[in-house]
Structure formats: structure tokens, C-alpha cells
């Protein structure tokens, strides 16, 4: 039955290949990176990659798959601990998104290779494994693919799931498709879970959980220069700064509606300029959309509501006066968290699962989050218990909570201190995972 299920799945992914090519062409219109190196998605590699194939056993790649931006940042923390333990290691780094690939480019050293992960068909995954012959595969967080797992198993490549998490929604889906998901999870060599709750859920779908090593993202060390830059700008600001961090589609509209609902009642019948009273009059708002292709869209949305906008990309000496500052840059979240007195957690005000709040805590920026944090449930709960975050039912309540905290200087300082203590208390997962990888590499390869 399991073999037949995998065959049906493989047939479906093969038939969907033209749809994937069409999707990549559409996405490339907004993000050109999706139109580059497309053959890699299907396990075809040109002459330039022929020369990087390992020739000896000690030259084999350590393969890490980091699908998107968050996983790539976690991979960076892991590599910081892993490279000193494996001097001269060659990294094979794969991604699924343009933001992940752009971020991952900075992690490469001479001899390393960066690619798109192949589409999950038997042919593409088989060609990928045969071409690069990795000594080990490390999938970051959630990326378990049936054909890829099968290809690694046949080739004798130990496949690990690191910093692993599985929320209740994903577990329910895996159980509904147990005929396909269970063999894929069971085909992993080992799983290192973030939390005991993740470990229990992963075991329930057949994953071989070897240990609970914590969340690698707690090991983040925000760039000191970025933090200092942000703090200097914050000190020069005339109002407390509230940040809507990594906002997703629909959340900026909720935020604008919340500003309208929080304005004084006497302004209810006036022109759009009235939105600048109330919360917008007391706070300097900073919006940082999650995806760069939405920067222009968010600016248009704010201007349509009668708000002036100043974009980070146009600042020289510092932020320019405007109702809204728009963080339209990549890789500067530490700067934005340093600039802010409080942050609203994007992805948590729509049913999107939230975003990682650990970087905010490491920067000493208190967080207000909405009801939807199922992708980071354990970290969110720990932050609540530590007083590093506050949960509210909706965006309107978040705007009120942000204003209350940002305008209360002693309370904001206490919350910032709790954030730093919370981040410090949970560090160590990256080193523990790196040591587990080294231990696995030293075991005799089972073929």
C-alpha cells in the first residue's frame, strides 16, 4: 500500500511539472530570481556544476536545506557552530524561495554550492542525490518530501530533520495522509525537535525523534552595528516608535482600520486626515512588510488612507518626518527592532501562524501578538510566561496595547529587560545540533 501511495504521489508531482514552470514564470515577473537557474528545480545541472562534484570521501558535501528566509537564518546559526567542528567542510545549501536564496548567498565559502531544491519527483530527486552525493542531509524545521526522502534512503544518504517543529494543524494533515506522510517521516535517519510538544507530535506521525535540542533561533546575536544604528535613530525620534513587524497581506488594512477605530469619537465624521489623531498622533508607526514585492503596495495603501510615508531606502542622515515609516529593506530587522519601543507581530493577526518573535526578544523589543501563532506556538507561550510578549484578540486591541506600553516609559524598560533575559535563557540549541551532526557523520555509513 505504501509503495502504491508513493507511486500515485510521484505521478501527481510529475503531472504538475508544467504548472510549476508556469508558476515560476509568473513569480519571476515580480521577483526575477524565480526565473533564474530553473533547470536546478528539475535536477538538471550544467557544466559549471559538474566540476564541483566530490571526488573523494572526505570531500563529500554537508547538505543543508533551508526553504525560506527564516530557515536560512537558522541555518546560519547552525553553520556558525558546525564549521569549526568540521574544518574544511563543503556546504551544499538548497532553498525553495528567492528570499532564502538571497540570504543564503552570504553563508557560502570557497568550495560551497548553492542551488534550488529539486521539485519532488522521482527523477529530479534521484538526479540531485546522484550528482552531489552528500555525506548527510539536514532539512531545517519542516521540509519533509516523500520522493526526496525515498531517493536519499535508496542512495544511503542519512537524512536528518533539524530544529524540527510540527503544529497541530500539520499533524492533522499528516494523519489524514498517513499512507504517504508516515513513510516519509519514518524514512528520516533522526529528528531533533525544538520542544517536547513538537517531539510528541512528530513521533505520532512516525518520525524517529532522537532528541529535543531546543530552538536554534534563540542563538541569534543581532548585529551590534544595526542595533546601535536603530537605537540612535530611536533616541532622535520625537515620538515613541511602534513597529508592525513582518506584516503579511491583509494585516496593513487591519492596522489602518484599527487606527480609525481608535481615533477620538469627535473625529468620526471628518475627512481621512482624522486618522492622524488618536494612536497615530501619539506614536510614530514603522511598517516592515514580510515580502519585498509588497513594499510598493503597502505604500499605496497608506497614502490612500491620507497618510504620508517615508521609505527606509530613501533615508540618508536618518528617518524623515512622515506619518508612517516604511521599512523597505532586507536583512535589517535588528535595526528596525532597535528603532522600535514595541512591535506588533506580523502573521499573527490573520490565520497565518505568526512569525518568529525570538529576534525581537534578542533585541530587547517587547512584542504584542495576535491570536494566530500556531507556527511558533511554543516560543510564543514561553515569551508570554516570561513577560516578553503580550497576546491580544485582534489588531484594534494590539494598537491600544502598543500605545499603552510605548507611552509608559518604566513599563517599556521593564518589558525590554524581560525580553533580553528570555532570549538568553534558551540559547544553546545550535551547538547541540552541530554536535549531533558531527556524531552522525562519524558513524559508519549504512548502505
Amino acid at each position: 500500500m505504501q509503495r502504491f501511495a508513493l507511486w500515485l504521489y510521484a505521478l501527481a508531482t510529475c503531472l504538475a511539472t508544467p504548472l510549476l514552470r508556469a508558476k515560476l514564470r509568473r513569480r519571476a515577473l515580480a521577483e526575477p530570481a524565480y526565473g533564474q537557474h530553473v533547470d536546478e528545480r528539475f535536477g538538471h545541472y550544467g557544466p559549471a556544476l559538474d566540476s564541483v562534484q566530490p571526488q573523494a570521501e572526505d570531500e563529500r558535501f554537508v547538505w543543508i536545506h533551508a526553504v525560506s528566509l527564516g530557515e536560512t537564518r537558522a541555518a546560519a546559526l547552525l553553520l556558525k557552530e558546525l564549521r569549526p567542528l568540521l574544518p574544511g567542510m563543503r556546504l551544499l545549501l538548497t532553498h525553495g524561495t528567492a528570499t532564502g536564496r538571497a540570504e543564503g548567498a552570504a553563508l557560502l565559502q570557497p568550495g560551497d554550492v548553492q542551488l534550488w531544491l529539486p521539485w519532488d519527483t522521482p527523477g529530479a530527486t534521484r538526479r540531485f542525490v546522484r550528482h552531489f552525493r552528500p555525506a548527510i542531509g539536514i532539512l531545517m524545521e519542516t521540509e519533509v518530501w516523500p520522493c526526496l526522502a525515498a531517493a536519499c534512503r535508496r542512495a544511503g544518504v542519512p537524512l536528518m530533520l533539524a530544529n524540527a517543529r510540527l503544529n497541530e494543524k500539520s499533524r492533522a494533515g499528516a494523519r489524514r495522509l498517513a499512507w504517504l506522510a508516515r513513510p516519509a517521516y519514518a524514512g528520516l535517519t533522526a529528528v531533533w525537535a525544538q520542544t517536547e510538544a513538537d517531539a510528541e507530535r512528530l513521533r505520532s506521525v512516525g518520525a524517529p525523534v532522537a532528541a529535543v535540542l531546543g530552538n536554534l533561533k534563540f542563538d541569534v546575536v543581532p548585529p551590534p552595528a544595526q542595533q546601535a544604528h536603530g537605537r540612535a535613530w530611536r533616541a532622535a525620534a520625537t515620538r515613541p516608535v511602534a513597529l508592525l513587524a513582518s506584516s503579511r497581506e491583509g494585516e496593513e488594512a487591519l492596522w489602518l482600520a484599527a487606527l480609525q477605530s481608535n481615533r477620538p469619537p469627535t473625529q468620526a465624521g471628518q475627512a481621512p486626515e482624522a486618522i492622524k489623531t488618536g494612536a497615530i498622533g501619539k506614536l510614530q508607526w514603522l511598517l516592515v512588510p514580510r515580502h519585498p514585492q509588497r513594499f510598493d503596495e503597502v505604500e499605496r495603501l497608506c497614502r490612500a488612507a491620507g497618510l504620508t510615508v517615508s521609505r527606509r531606502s530613501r533615508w540618508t542622515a536618518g528617518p524623515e518626518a512622515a506619518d508612517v515609516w516604511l521599512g523597505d529593506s532586507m536583512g535589517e530587522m535588528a535595526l528596525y527592532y532597535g528603532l522600535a519601543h514595541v512591535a506588533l507581530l506580523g502573521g499573527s493577526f490573520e490565520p497565518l501562524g505568526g512569525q518568529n518573535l525570538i529576534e525581537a526578544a534578542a533585541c530587547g523589543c517587547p512584542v504584542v501578538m495576535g491570536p494566530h501563532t500556531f507556527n511558533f506556538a511554543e516560543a510564543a507561550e514561553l515569551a508570554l510566561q516570561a513577560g516578553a510578549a503580550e497576546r491580544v484578540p485582534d489588531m484594534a486591541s494590539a494598537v491600544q496595547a502598543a500605545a499603552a506600553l510605548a507611552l509608559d516609559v518604566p513599563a517599556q524598560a521593564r518589558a525590554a529587560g524581560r525580553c533580553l533575559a528570555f532570549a538568553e535563557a534558551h540559547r544553546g540549541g545550535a551547538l547541540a545540533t552541530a554536535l549531533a551532526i558531527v556524531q552522525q557523520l562519524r558513524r559508519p555509513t549504512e548502505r
Side-chain angles (χ1 to χ4, degrees):
M1 176 63 183
Q2 290 180 357
R3 185 173 297 178
F4 180 65
L6 182 61
W7 181 85
L8 282 177
Y9 168 82
L11 177 63
T13 56
C14 288
L15 292 174
T17 295
L19 299 178
L20 174 63
R21 288 186 179 275
K23 180 181 179 181
L24 291 172
R25 286 194 295 270
R26 288 195 303 272
R27 292 205 68 175
L29 297 176
E31 296 177 86
Y34 283 101
Q36 299 168 1
H37 312 292
V38 172
D39 283 350
E40 294 174 3
R41 302 267 192 181
F42 305 99
H44 297 296
Y45 309 102
L49 289 174
D50 289 340
S51 61
V52 302
Q53 290 176 291
Q55 301 301 315
E57 196 67 21
D58 60 357
E59 293 179 351
R60 294 175 67 192
F61 288 107
V62 172
W63 162 40
I64 296 179
H65 175 58
V67 60
S68 193
L69 186 63
E71 292 84 357
T72 304
R73 288 175 175 169
L77 299 170
L78 176 58
L79 284 166
K80 182 179 178 181
E81 302 291 350
L82 187 60
R83 286 196 189 271
L85 298 175
L86 297 173
M89 68 163 273
R90 298 185 68 195
L91 171 67
L92 174 62
L93 185 60
T94 60
H95 309 278
T97 70
T99 52
R101 186 158 182 161
E103 183 82 4
L107 305 180
L108 303 179
Q109 295 186 6
D112 295 343
V113 175
Q114 187 181 35
L115 301 164
W116 295 119
L117 185 74
W119 180 233
D120 203 42
T121 63
T125 54
R126 182 177 60 251
R127 288 188 292 271
F128 167 76
V129 173
R130 285 181 177 176
H131 190 99
F132 294 102
R133 298 173 49 230
I136 191 172
I138 300 131
L139 311 174
M140 301 300 297
E141 301 197 12
T142 61
E143 286 285 296
V144 180
W145 293 95
C147 290
L148 184 65
C152 289
R153 188 165 56 250
R154 285 192 296 267
V157 176
L159 191 60
M160 332 299 286
L161 186 63
N163 209 38
R165 57 184 173 88
L166 187 71
N167 60 46
E168 285 293 348
K169 182 179 178 181
S170 297
R171 172 161 69 171
R175 283 176 166 173
R176 283 195 302 272
L177 298 174
W179 46 273
L180 183 64
R182 183 168 285 273
Y185 279 106
L188 299 171
T189 304
V191 173
W192 302 309
Q194 292 186 14
T195 68
E196 290 291 349
D198 288 312
E200 185 278 323
R201 288 189 286 267
L202 286 158
R203 288 190 189 101
S204 74
V205 297
V209 177
V212 176
L213 300 181
N215 189 337
L216 273 65
K217 293 175 182 176
F218 278 108
D219 288 277
V220 65
V221 177
Q226 282 194 26
Q227 276 200 289
H229 210 167
R231 291 293 169 84
W233 284 349
R234 186 171 90 173
T238 58
R239 293 176 289 174
V241 179
L243 164 65
L244 177 53
S246 297
S247 57
R248 306 278 290 276
E249 188 169 3
E251 290 187 313
E252 298 89 2
L254 290 177
W255 171 76
L256 286 168
L259 296 184
Q260 290 275 19
S261 67
N262 278 288
R263 72 176 190 244
T266 55
Q267 304 290 334
Q270 295 187 14
E273 287 294 313
I275 200 173
K276 300 180 185 180
T277 61
I280 197 70
K282 295 176 182 176
L283 302 179
Q284 173 63 61
W285 283 95
L286 168 61
L287 270 57
V288 181
R290 171 74 171 173
H291 298 115
Q293 65 269 29
R294 299 190 59 244
F295 292 156
D296 293 343
E297 171 193 340
V298 173
E299 179 177 8
R300 287 193 296 269
L301 190 68
C302 292
R303 292 192 184 281
L307 302 176
T308 58
V309 178
S310 172
R311 297 177 67 139
R312 159 73 179 106
S313 58
R314 298 170 189 162
W315 297 350
T316 53
E320 300 169 354
D323 299 320
V324 175
W325 293 338
L326 179 61
D328 63 340
S329 63
M330 298 295 293
E332 287 194 317
M333 284 309 301
L335 181 148
Y336 295 130
Y337 285 129
L339 178 55
H341 292 81
V342 60
L344 277 60
L345 185 67
S348 70
F349 299 97
E350 291 281 5
L352 300 167
Q355 302 291 346
N356 174 28
L357 55 75
I358 294 171
E359 187 174 10
C363 292
C365 183
V367 169
V368 179
M369 55 191 176
H372 307 290
T373 55
F374 52 81
N375 281 337
F376 304 92
E378 187 77 9
E381 185 58 34
L382 290 171
L384 284 172
Q385 293 172 8
E390 177 181 356
R391 189 184 296 282
V392 296
D394 51 41
M395 183 67 80
S397 302
V399 168
Q400 292 177 338
L405 182 60
L407 294 167
D408 186 337
V409 176
Q412 196 279 335
R414 290 193 296 271
R418 291 193 294 268
C419 286
L420 294 172
F422 163 68
E424 181 63 35
H426 294 279
R427 290 196 170 112
L431 178 57
T433 304
L435 291 170
I437 292 170
V438 172
Q439 183 180 30
Q440 177 62 40
L441 283 168
R442 288 175 178 165
R443 291 176 181 170
T445 302
E446 297 179 5
R447 296 190 182 276

